[in-house]
Amino acid sequence: MKHGFSVEARDFDLAKTLDSGQVFHWETHGEGFVGAIGDCALHVQQDGDELLVHGGFAQLVRHYFALDHSLGEICAAFPDDPALQDATNFCRGLRIIRQPIWECLAAFITSSMKQVAHIRQMSRALRERFGESKRVHGITVFTFPSAAPLAATNEKELRECALGYRAKNLLLTAQRVASGEADLESWRALPDDELRARLCAFPGVGAKVANCVMLFAYERLRAFPIDVWIERVLREKYFPRKRKVTAA
DNA sequence: CTCCAGGTTCCGG
DNA sequence: CCGGAACATGGA
């Protein structure tokens, strides 16, 4: 427990944020969580208005969890809508984090037609098989594999991580990223529409996954991923007569 | 044993 | 453009 860093974290709920389905590779450990941000493995634990971070990287943690966002201002800007009021109360402290692009893209490619518990299982299998082993706080953590080691495998090996038909999509995407043909970092400079079009050009990436990557990795806070649950709510609360609910 | 899960893609009308 | 169906896997 010693040698940890403390990071101020007001208006933040670590457990709620990591359990919200925007990221899939953190695991509970004791009172906190272990995981990795890119290559940096760490243990994080919340204690009131602060985070105890083991493994260093305090500034990285602050950036990753978007602790610089003013959650109060963001919530105050919401329209006066009963459903949104309920939502803000229910989700208080849940932040949209800043994920490394590749691991976000890869994770959501595996997410189609899968329950969150399954997505987490696939993430773990990929990490244990292709990620790097690190030690932090006395435990072993596997980082999420970069594109290169995934590009160097084959569909069969990825299927052994329970990816099913998603294996081919992840493999082809990893190859395009690892080869440099698709430079995810440079795409930060693109406007929303162009970025979305490039993301949708990857196999297995459609409107929903592209919007997840834009929102969770590219900081495009206007992106609005519509999954089956959001669609049900939109239909029930706002558009009872529409046959199809889309972002536009 | 069936059903369906935080979608995408392809195909026919 | 729009509705349907296939796609793998595993837990309920």
Side-chain angles (χ1 to χ4, degrees):
Chain A
M1 282 304 170
K2 56 190 179 185
H3 302 315
F5 290 86
S6 174
V7 178
E8 185 179 332
R10 302 184 145 282
D11 299 320
F12 181 62
D13 188 321
L14 178 66
K16 207 174 271 183
T17 297
L18 291 182
D19 194 38
S20 65
Q22 57 182 314
V23 67
F24 305 97
H25 64 260
W26 291 87
E27 314 218 343
T28 58
H29 185 271
E31 303 289 301
F33 297 85
V34 290
I37 304 172
D39 288 334
C40 307
L42 33 93
H43 179 277
V44 193
Q45 181 174 333
Q46 182 155 27
D47 179 16
D49 278 351
E50 58 182 36
L51 294 179
L52 303 178
V53 183
H54 290 271
F57 314 118
Q59 275 312 112
L60 180 63
V61 165
R62 189 177 151 72
H63 181 262
Y64 182 74
F65 289 114
L67 299 176
D68 52 309
H69 280 163
S70 175
L71 209 52
E73 285 181 33
I74 292 171
C75 290
F78 285 178
D80 185 14
D81 177 283
L84 277 181
Q85 292 300 326
D86 289 348
T88 52
N89 287 329
F90 185 76
C91 299
R92 192 160 303 284
L94 195 170
R95 285 170 183 269
I96 303 296
I97 67 179
R98 296 188 182 99
Q99 297 183 42
I101 301 170
W102 164 252
E103 58 187 55
C104 182
L105 173 62
F108 278 97
I109 282 176
T110 70
S111 75
S112 80
M113 288 297 296
K114 278 291 184 188
Q115 296 183 340
V116 172
H118 291 154
I119 303 169
R120 302 182 78 93
Q121 286 176 20
M122 291 184 283
S123 170
R124 186 179 313 115
L126 289 170
R127 281 179 282 123
E128 290 181 352
R129 188 152 183 166
F130 303 108
E132 288 182 29
S133 171
K134 307 251 179 177
R135 295 285 291 180
V136 59
H137 205 229
I139 38 187
T140 300
V141 177
F142 289 90
T143 65
F144 192 89
S146 62
L150 295 181
T153 62
N154 54 58
E155 192 177 327
K156 178 175 172 295
E157 281 204 78
L158 292 180
R159 277 178 185 265
E160 286 169 7
C161 296
L163 265 66
Y165 66 87
R166 305 159 194 79
K168 177 176 289 185
N169 293 335
L170 183 61
L171 180 63
L172 291 171
T173 301
Q175 289 170 346
R176 287 189 49 192
V177 171
S179 72
E181 175 191 337
D183 183 354
L184 300 179
E185 283 300 328
S186 75
W187 294 1
R188 288 185 185 280
L190 297 174
D192 287 356
D193 289 345
E194 177 65 19
L195 174 59
R196 184 177 290 105
R198 301 242 189 150
L199 290 171
C200 286
F202 286 122
V205 178
K208 189 270 180 179
V209 168
N211 278 325
C212 285
V213 177
M214 290 175 69
L215 180 60
F216 301 138
Y218 282 97
E219 298 185 67
R220 306 303 170 99
L221 301 185
R222 308 191 57 156
F224 187 50
I226 300 178
D227 61 27
V228 290
W229 300 100
I230 294 294
E231 180 175 357
R232 284 169 195 166
V233 171
L234 288 175
R235 195 185 301 285
E236 179 188 328
K237 300 281 184 190
Y238 300 101
F239 307 102
R241 333 205 66 193
K242 275 199 137 167
R243 335 268 297 337
K244 197 176 176 195
V245 184
T246 63

